[in-house]
Structures are given as structure tokens and as C-alpha cells.
Amino acid sequence: MTGTLRLRVPVGADAERWVTRAQCRRVLLVVHNVTSATRLLDVLPLLSGDLRVQLLATCTQSSPFLAGVPELLAAAGLPVLPWEQAKDTPVDLAVSASYGGQLHELQGELAVLSHGVGYNKKLATPDNTGQHRTTPVFGLGPEWLLHNGRPIASATVLSHPEQLDRLGTACPEAAPTAVLAGDPCYDRVLDALPYRERFRRALGVAPHQRLVVVSSTWAQRSLFGDGGDGDLLPWLLPRLAAELPADEYRTVAVLHPNIWYGHGPGQVRGWLDRARRAGLGLISELHGWRQALIAADCVLGDHSSVTYYAASIGRPVLLGAFPDGDLDPDSPVAALGRTAPKLRPHGSLRAQIERAVQGHDPGRYAELADQTTSAPGRSAGLLRRVFYDLIGIPEPAGRPALLDRLPLPPYEPAEPTAPVRVLTRLIDAEPPTVAVTRYADAAHEPEDPDADGAHTAVHEDTQDAGRLSVADVVVRYAAEDDPRVGPPAAWTAEVLARHPHCALAAYVTGPDRCTVRTRQGDLVRLTAAPDGTGRADLCDPAAYASALLAWLGAKPLGAAQAELTVVTGAAHHRVAVERLSPA
């Protein structure tokens, strides 16, 4: 955003003197906040590449959540008009994903999209006495859709006829502007479903692991909030690490942009710091959340669009918060609240997740999925037609209307820096087989009546450096040739010399391997056999180091020993044992 400084190029009083392409039609993207901007980014490709169109952007300045908007608009690289200039500038089309701001003052045709899965939530607004009253559903009531009794939008874009039915009841004056044009966000998800395994591997999720996604919308009665029926978060966060074995579960969080930018990214990360150190991954509020939903085995959510999208693609969901009074009872999201199981803050979190996953019927949410869009896979063509009809020029000839594909996220496996409590059990001597169960919250001693050994593994970068002096295993994750700490032989020797109590040092050099040095002086490389597809085993190699330590507690490392089987949950990992130096 540029404050009060008005743009001179490509629009302005003397813009024609300075522009290179002066005959372009103007399309203005109207941003309310980061949340609404994400839907505009979904549809941006429908207008890109057309030499007849000049894209512009503005921010209404009307949202309480303005943080993050300048950075987002700067990343988009479009000319940004101050809001007062945007209202004064004639455009051929304005596109908004919210009814916030003085949209009726814009000079041009206006198309308004939903920034979530349809229209579901009621919004409390102050009346002229300062008291809050609950309005009709946000985006469907006349106070949003009309100005002086006339529709604000030229096109009210809906994704399903059920929204049209509710629009006709709530605001019949706006019903003639309704256009059924699908859901571009959902279409991008549907297109990417075949790449589920790639997204799982990007998050470091092995085939035998459950990926649990914790999803929250904003406001006090959300899962992340501290209102409603109680504050669930203090109960939930520690149990993600204390109850879910690290090698059997991977956990990530998807939070609404209004949480991030309402409280500040630094504050949100601070609130989640302990959970992050125990392995909770934080998914970008702009990129990656859809891939995480596709990859998920279970979603712990609330009344958000994200939770509804998860159910729509057949993922098991557990509702940690669901304020029915905040929703239109006739909306699909309200129907999800009547259908999905509830997360209870009593008893075992793991047991509730397992019941949700194992008892899930893939067709349970089929009816809800059908209400997500009446035109699955077709929103690009439908929306582009709407946009160009309003602009008043033909669609680009010979070019299909396409949305951007969901990108493959970077490889970001869990790397807990909190002390890890490791329970071990010797299963067999020939071949050597050791079961390992690791919990990334050593403050809660887990119960395992079958375990015959226990030790503590500590990341060298742990916040509590005092724990290194009592660690049985010290762990480091780095490239083998990292000049700061490597090579593995040097680092492992330094660690054992620095920490006399430590029995084994493990330098993890890849997703399936590590180099360890024992207190007896053996330097060994542990490498897991590839999975059935030839890809690297994604079990954390630190688990292999703990299995080796447990084995050495009962047997010396034989000169000819070449393989160790490590059991994590129901998975068996064949690990090659390669001696790198004599004892």
C-alpha cells in the first residue's frame, strides 16, 4: 500500500503520457485483508497473459486485520492504488472476495466472490447504541449486498445452488446478480489429489505414520480461541507430543490468517514454541495448507472452511470447537457440525484420533462434498467467462482457462529439539530386532509395560542446554559436508568428549541415514533399506541410533554384524550397519 501518495502510472491524471500500453482494460483487485486476498490469488491466473488487460490492486483499509497486506501486495507485483484513488479511478472490472469497505463507491462493474467455502457465518456488528447484534449470514444479508436498496455487485459469484436458495430468502433484491461459477480453491484441491503421497513425503510423513492436521479459524469460539465452552488449547498442545509417538504420528497446524495477523506472527510462534520444539509443524497461511489437507489422515478442526474442505475430500475430522450459534443452521458447514464427531478434552487424545480414523466411512461426507460446488473442476472456465463478460471484451482466443496447480512444498520433516524420551524393547537376537517408541515430551513419562529399557535423546540445539549433560544420546541434523559441524566423525568425537554421560552421538545426514559413535569408540553408519518403491525410508534416523544403543546394552557390536531391524509401531525398518572405523 502507498498511503496517500496517488499513483501516476499506469493510472492517474497524466498516465497516458507515461504508460507504454495505453489501450488496456483495467481490472482492479480489491483486497480486504490477507484472508480475502488468498481467493483473489486463486483467480489471478484467469486474467494473466492477456495483453489487453492491466491489473491493479487496492486495499479497502476497512478490515481490523491489515497486517500482512502490504507484503502480500508487494509480492504480487501489481500497481497498488490508495483506496481513495481507487474509488476515483474508472475501471472496467473490480473483483473482491469480501463485502468489506465502500464497494458501492467503485467506478466500474463489480464481481464479488466468497473467500471461503460459500457463506456460512453470522457476524456480530455494533448497532447505533454500541451494542452488538448478530446479523444475517455474512455475505448474504441486505446490509452487505445492497446500497440504497440496490445491489452493490454486478455479479455475486456462488459455488452451489443451495447458496442461491439462501440468498433468495435473505436478500431477494440481490438474487438476479447471482452467478453459479464453482469454487476455484476447491478445484485446485481436487486437481492435486493424485499427488497426496508427494505432499506427505514433503512433510516427512512415512507410509506407516498418521498425519494429524490441527486447523483453526479465528475468533474466540474457534479451536485456537479461549472463549465458547472453554479453552481447549492448553489441553491439546502438550498431548500432541505426550500421547502421540513421534515415529507413528506427524502433527502440523493450519491457522487462519486473522490469527497470524491479528496477534502477530511472532506472538503466534511464541505461543506454539513448546509444541514446535516437540515437532509440531506450522503451515503457511498462504501456501501449503491445501497440500497438508490432501496429505492428512485426520483433521482436528472447527467451523472453518479448511475443516469443511477436509471433510469434502473424505478426510476424517474431529471437531474441537463448533459454535452452532455462529452459523446459519441451513448452511453446509452447520450440517458438518451435526455429522462429524467431537473432540472431548477428557480421556485419551490418541484413542479419539484412532477411532476417528479407523471408524471413518469414506462416504460419510459425500453429501456435504456435493454441496461444496455444483461445478467441480469447471470454475476456471465459468469465472473467466463472467469476468470477460463484465469487462466487455471476448475471452482470449485459443487459450483454455486454467488455474495454477498446487506446488510441491519444500521438504520439511519434523525435527524435534525438545528432549525425547525413548522406550525400547529387545524383540529378537537373530536377526537383531529392537522396538522403539519415542515421545517428544520428556516431561510426561509414558507408560509401556512391554518396554525393557528407556533413555533420553537430546538435540544438540535444545533450548534447555542443561539436558545435554544427562542425555544418553545427543543428536544433530546436518549435511555430511556441513563445514560448521561436520564431518560426522569429528562432530561425534567432540560430543562424546564434551558430554561424559552421553553413551552415543548421532549425526543425521539424510532422511534415511545417520552416523553414530559409541562410547566404546565404534563409528558406524546406519542406513535404512528403501521402501517398496525404491524411495528413502522416512522414519527419523535418530530412532535407528536409539535402537542401536538399546542393542548395545545387551550385546556388543559384532564385527560381522551387518543389519538391525528397528520396529516403530507396526512398521519394520531394515537398517544396514556399516562399520567405519575399528573400536
Side-chain angles (χ1 to χ4, degrees):
M1 294 179 289
T2 55
T4 58
L5 183 63
R6 297 169 75 93
L7 288 190
R8 295 178 60 189
V9 183
V11 296
D14 57 349
E16 290 190 4
R17 179 181 176 188
W18 307 108
V19 295
T20 300
R21 298 187 66 83
Q23 305 304 316
C24 290
R25 303 297 180 100
R26 297 171 179 173
V27 176
L28 178 68
L29 304 180
V30 183
V31 173
H32 185 58
N33 50 31
V34 170
T35 307
S36 67
T38 57
R39 182 54 53 94
L40 298 180
L41 294 177
D42 279 335
V43 302
L44 190 61
L46 302 179
L47 297 163
S48 64
D50 190 338
L51 295 172
R52 303 168 297 168
V53 173
Q54 168 69 59
L55 293 172
L56 309 165
T58 189
C59 177
T60 64
Q61 301 286 329
S62 60
S63 173
F65 304 100
L66 291 178
V69 173
E71 295 81 0
L72 184 147
L73 292 179
L78 299 176
V80 180
L81 280 66
W83 179 236
E84 292 303 318
Q85 183 181 6
K87 293 189 294 182
D88 295 341
T89 301
V91 296
D92 297 282
L93 172 64
V95 184
S96 176
S98 173
Y99 276 97
Q102 300 163 311
L103 299 182
H104 61 277
E105 295 189 28
L106 294 171
Q107 299 184 40
E109 304 286 352
L110 173 65
V112 179
L113 294 71
S114 165
H115 59 258
V117 55
Y119 298 91
N120 306 283
K121 294 182 181 179
K122 298 177 182 179
L123 186 64
T125 57
D127 59 21
N128 54 14
T129 68
Q131 299 298 312
H132 282 76
R133 62 187 180 88
T134 300
T135 70
V137 177
F138 178 70
L140 294 185
E143 55 265 73
W144 306 108
L145 300 170
L146 305 180
H147 178 71
N148 292 334
R150 302 181 60 183
I152 294 172
S154 307
T156 303
V157 179
L158 307 176
S159 62
H160 193 277
E162 69 85 17
Q163 297 161 24
L164 179 58
D165 294 339
R166 289 190 287 131
L167 173 64
T169 300
C171 187
E173 300 91 337
T177 69
V179 179
L180 290 171
D183 184 330
C185 176
Y186 188 56
D187 281 354
R188 295 182 72 192
V189 172
L190 294 178
D191 173 75
L193 287 177
Y195 303 101
R196 168 178 162 83
E197 291 305 319
R198 293 185 187 178
F199 298 152
R200 288 173 63 82
R201 294 183 69 83
L203 290 168
V205 181
H208 62 277
Q209 283 183 300
R210 304 262 201 234
L211 174 61
V212 178
V213 176
V214 180
S215 170
S216 178
T217 188
W218 68 285
Q220 295 176 28
R221 288 188 288 271
S222 68
L223 177 59
F224 204 85
D226 57 4
D229 295 330
D231 189 354
L232 186 67
L233 217 56
W235 174 85
L236 176 62
L237 289 178
R239 279 164 177 75
L240 291 173
E243 290 193 33
L244 306 183
D247 300 305
E248 298 172 51
Y249 295 84
R250 171 82 163 105
T251 58
V252 299
V254 173
L255 303 180
H256 193 284
N258 288 358
I259 297 176
W260 286 103
Y261 296 110
H263 294 283
Q267 178 62 79
V268 173
R269 284 192 289 267
W271 280 334
L272 297 176
D273 182 68
R274 180 176 176 181
R276 291 168 58 216
R277 293 179 185 277
L280 178 72
L282 298 186
I283 304 298
S284 165
E285 71 281 8
L286 292 177
H287 310 291
W289 65 267
R290 284 168 283 213
Q291 294 91 321
L293 288 190
I294 293 170
D297 293 293
C298 185
V299 174
L300 308 183
D302 54 18
H303 56 301
S304 69
S305 292
V306 172
T307 307
Y308 190 91
Y309 280 133
S312 294
I313 60 173
R315 300 296 176 261
V317 299
L318 269 173
L319 300 177
F322 208 88
D324 300 274
D326 292 0
L327 298 166
D328 180 351
D330 295 326
S331 69
V333 172
L336 174 63
R338 295 189 291 267
T339 307
K342 304 297 192 296
L343 180 64
R344 308 297 181 187
H346 306 288
S348 168
L349 172 64
R350 182 179 184 180
Q352 292 183 73
I353 291 173
E354 286 304 311
R355 280 197 299 269
V357 174
Q358 296 178 15
H360 180 61
D361 176 3
R364 180 173 195 164
Y365 305 118
E367 184 175 346
L368 298 180
D370 289 341
Q371 291 187 310
T372 307
T373 173
S374 58
R378 295 167 48 213
S379 67
L382 294 170
L383 281 171
R384 191 174 77 168
R385 187 177 310 147
V386 171
F387 293 161
Y388 276 89
D389 284 348
L390 293 175
I391 296 170
I393 57 177
E395 295 181 62
R399 282 173 39 202
L402 299 171
L403 303 171
D404 283 344
R405 310 286 300 280
L406 292 184
L408 183 65
Y411 178 61
E412 294 181 345
E415 187 180 316
T417 58
V420 174
R421 191 61 175 165
V422 185
L423 306 181
T424 60
R425 178 166 52 93
L426 302 181
I427 296 177
D428 204 342
E430 290 298 333
T433 303
V434 181
V436 174
T437 307
R438 303 186 305 150
Y439 294 89
D441 190 343
H444 296 80
E445 179 69 38
E447 296 182 3
D448 186 346
D450 296 325
D452 51 31
H455 63 264
T456 300
V458 182
H459 194 295
E460 193 181 31
D461 290 340
T462 183
Q463 185 180 41
D464 185 359
R467 299 300 298 272
L468 291 168
S469 63
V470 295
D472 301 288
V473 177
V474 174
V475 182
R476 160 69 65 183
Y477 298 77
E480 192 165 2
D481 59 353
D482 188 327
R484 300 168 299 169
V485 293
W491 178 86
T492 53
E494 291 172 4
V495 165
L496 292 182
R498 186 177 300 120
H499 303 293
H501 180 79
C502 178
L504 185 147
Y507 188 120
V508 178
T509 58
D512 58 349
R513 68 195 62 192
C514 64
T515 299
V516 302
R517 186 184 293 274
T518 70
R519 180 57 65 183
Q520 291 72 34
D522 293 295
L523 187 66
V524 175
R525 180 184 292 120
L526 304 176
T527 306
D531 65 14
T533 66
R535 294 189 172 96
D537 188 332
L538 292 185
C539 177
D540 182 358
Y544 310 151
S546 284
L548 181 64
L549 177 63
W551 177 256
L552 293 176
K555 302 278 186 180
L557 184 63
Q561 191 167 312
E563 188 172 290
L564 177 68
T565 297
V566 181
V567 179
T568 58
H572 287 63
H573 312 272
R574 291 175 43 242
V575 179
V577 181
E578 177 187 0
R579 187 186 294 275
L580 300 180
S581 66

